Amino acid sequence: GGGADQKGIVRGDLILEIDGNAIWNVRDYRQSLKQLQAHLKQDRPKPLLFLLLKKDQERIRFVALRP
């Protein structure tokens, strides 16, 4: 699997933030993806920070992923 698999991100986890941008709906998520595409074009992109609400658990955690 990829970086998300290695960090324990699974289907059903709720993404609350991507790199400091709040995700309230699908539109916010898609906008963040557009920003991520620009981020990935950098020579040395920094790790991305996701704030997740884990499925079937009532805990929130931050996950850093390298592109």
Side-chain angles (χ1 to χ4, degrees):
D5 287 333
Q6 293 172 358
K7 296 289 185 168
I9 299 172
V10 297
R11 177 174 280 193
D13 286 351
L14 181 61
I15 300 172
L16 303 175
E17 286 184 11
I18 298 176
D19 219 26
N21 298 313
I23 306 298
W24 292 97
N25 52 44
V26 174
R27 182 174 165 238
D28 292 342
Y29 177 77
R30 288 184 179 149
Q31 182 64 32
S32 287
L33 289 182
K34 287 180 185 178
Q35 292 173 356
L36 290 175
Q37 289 173 345
H39 173 82
L40 292 174
K41 292 179 183 178
Q42 296 175 3
D43 288 335
R44 296 181 56 86
K46 63 180 179 154
L48 300 170
L49 191 60
F50 289 77
L51 178 63
L52 303 172
L53 178 61
K54 295 297 291 171
K55 178 184 175 182
D56 298 331
Q57 298 176 19
E58 292 185 12
R59 64 184 175 123
I60 296 175
R61 69 180 182 127
F62 285 99
V63 176
L65 296 175
R66 288 209 174 269

